[in-house]
C-alpha cells in the first residue's frame, strides 16, 4: 500500500511471524492508544472500510493496526449449504486461525496494553476470539454477526455492538442473543434499518467516540 | 424556576392557553432550532433530567422548551392492577391530553418548524402522539416504552430510540416491537444494560449529536 493519510505519518507495512502482512497508521507524534481493526470477509487491510476507519481513528489521536486475515481453505460443503451457513463456517475457521496473529500484533505494538478492537461481520468473529483470549484488549466495537455467544459470555470489557435490522446474512434473533450474551457491565446495542453492508456512517462516528470514552487518547 | 444556566439567556416561564406552564432556554443570541423536551412520570419541567438535557442542547446551539405534563385524574383500577399496567394507562391518558399543548408550544416558538422532540418513558408516549400528529417535528429521540406501536407506524421522521435491556417496567419484546414499528427510513435503536431509570449518560450525548445531524444548529 502506498496511500498516504493526510496529517498522519505513514509507516511501512510490517510482517508478523515473517508472514502476516500488517499496516500501522500513526497520528502526528506517533503516540496514542492502539486500535486493532479487522476487515470483513472478502476484504483486506487496505480495503476502503478499513482505511476509512483508520483515518477517523488517527484523526482522533489513535494508532491503528490492521492485518490481512488468514485465507480460508475450507471447500464448499456441497449444494445443500446455504450462503449464511457457509459464511458462518468460514468466519469461524478464519477467526480461530487469526488469534495468534493478533496476539503477535499486540506484542509488537502495545505489549503492555491497553488496546481496542474494531471489527464487524467476519472481523467481529475474529474480535470475539481475540477479546475472549486477550486481556490487553479493554474495549471492543463489534457487530453484524450472531455467531459465538459462547465467546461473548467470557467477555467482560465495554462493547459497542452494531446490528442491521434487515440483515440478510445474520438473523435478528441471533444478533440480539449474542448482544445479550456479553458478560460486560457496559455494552450498547446499536440497531439500524438496512441490509448487511448498509451500516450507516454515523455508527463509525459513534465507534470512534466509544474508543475515546474508554481509551482516552491525549 | 429561578435557575440560571451558565452561558445562556434565561427567559421567564410562559403560559400556554393561559394555564400550561412552560420554560424556554435559549443559547447566546437567542437563535437556534427548537427542541421540545417532555419529562417523565413523576417529574416536571424543572426536574434535573429535563434541565440537564436543556443545558446540553443549549450548549450545542439549540433553543429548548419544556412544558409541565397534564396531571392524571385516573383512579387506581383496584388491587389487581399491576404497576406497569397502571403506568401504561396513565401515560396514555396524559399523552393524549398533552398533544394540543405541545402544538400550542410550536405555534408560539417555531410556528413554521422544523423542531425536534426528546422524551423518554411517559415523555416518549407524549412524543409518539405529538410526532404522529405534527409535521413540524422532523426528528425525535424517544425510549423507555413499548406502548403505542399504532402511532409509531405513522411516524416517518428520523428516530433515535433508547431501550434499557433490564427494564423492570417495559418488556424487552414490547420495546423491540415498538422500534420495529416506526415507519422511519432512518431509525437507530440504542440498548444498554440496566433498569428503567439507569439510562447511561452517553445516551444523552448521543441524542444531542442526533439532533445536530438532523436539525443543524449554526
Amino acid at each position: 500500500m502506498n496511500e498516504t493519510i493526510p496529517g498522519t505519518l505513514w509507516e511501512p507495512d510490517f510482517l508478523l511471524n515473517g508472514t502476516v502482512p500488517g499496516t500501522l497508521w500513526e497520528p502526528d507524534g506517533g503516540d496514542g492508544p492502539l486500535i486493532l481493526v479487522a476487515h470483513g470477509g472478502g476484504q483486506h487491510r487496505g480495503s476502503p472500510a478499513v482505511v476509512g476507519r483508520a483515518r477517523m481513528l488517527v484523526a482522533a489521536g489513535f494508532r491503528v493496526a490492521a492485518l490481512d486475515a488468514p485465507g480460508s481453505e475450507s471447500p464448499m460443503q456441497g449444494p445443500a449449504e446455504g450462503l449464511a451457513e457457509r459464511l458462518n463456517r468460514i468466519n469461524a475457521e478464519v477467526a480461530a486461525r487469526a488469534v495468534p496473529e493478533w496476539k503477535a500484533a499486540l506484542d509488537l505494538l502495545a505489549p503492555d496494553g491497553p488496546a481496542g478492537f474494531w471489527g464487524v461481520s467476519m472481523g467481529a468473529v475474529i474480535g470475539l476470539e481475540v477479546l475472549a483470549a486477550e486481556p490487553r484488549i479493554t474495549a471492543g466495537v463489534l457487530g453484524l454477526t450472531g455467531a459465538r455467544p459462547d465467546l461473548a459470555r467470557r467477555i467482560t470489557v465495554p462493547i459497542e455492538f452494531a446490528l442491521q435490522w434487515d440483515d440478510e446474512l445474520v438473523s435478528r434473533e441471533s444478533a440480539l442473543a449474542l448482544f445479550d450474551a456479553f458478560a460486560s457491565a457496559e455494552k450498547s446495542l446499536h440497531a439500524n434499518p438496512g441490509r448487511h453492508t448498509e451500516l450507516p456512517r454515523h455508527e463509525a462516528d459513534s465507534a470512534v467516540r466509544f474508543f475515546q470514552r474508554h481509551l482516552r487518547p491525549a
Side-chain angles (χ1 to χ4, degrees), chain A residues 9 26-32:
Chain A
L9 177 67
E26 294 186 309
D28 287 332
D31 213 350

Side-chain angles (χ1 to χ4, degrees), chain A residues 122-178:
Chain A
M122 186 182 80
V125 188
I126 295 173
L128 286 161
E129 290 272 13
V130 173
L131 279 153
E134 184 49 78
R136 288 174 291 185
I137 309 282
T138 59
V141 175
L142 306 174
L144 307 186
T145 185
R148 305 304 305 272
D150 58 310
L151 293 172
R153 278 188 277 274
R154 292 159 48 193
I155 294 171
T156 58
V157 298
I159 296 291
E160 188 161 285
F161 187 84
L163 181 162
Q164 287 295 90
W165 203 244
D166 311 295
D167 195 316
E168 74 280 17
L169 298 177
V170 178
S171 78
R172 195 182 294 170
E173 295 66 30
S174 72
L176 290 172
L178 179 59

Side-chain angles (χ1 to χ4, degrees), chain A residues 33 35 57 60 62 114 116 138-141 157-161 185-190 202-218:
Chain A
I35 309 293
L57 287 166
F62 293 99
T138 59
V141 175
V157 298
I159 296 291
E160 188 161 285
F161 187 84
E186 183 169 341
K187 56 183 179 181
S188 292
L189 172 73
H190 287 189
H202 62 76
E203 288 300 342
D205 297 323
S206 180
V208 172
R209 286 189 301 269
F210 171 85
F211 287 125
Q212 288 177 309
R213 283 206 305 281
H214 293 291
L215 286 162
R216 305 192 170 285

Side-chain angles (χ1 to χ4, degrees), chain A residues 31 46 63 77 97 193-194 205:
Chain A
D31 213 350
R63 293 182 299 147
Q77 300 281 301
R97 292 175 58 203
D205 297 323

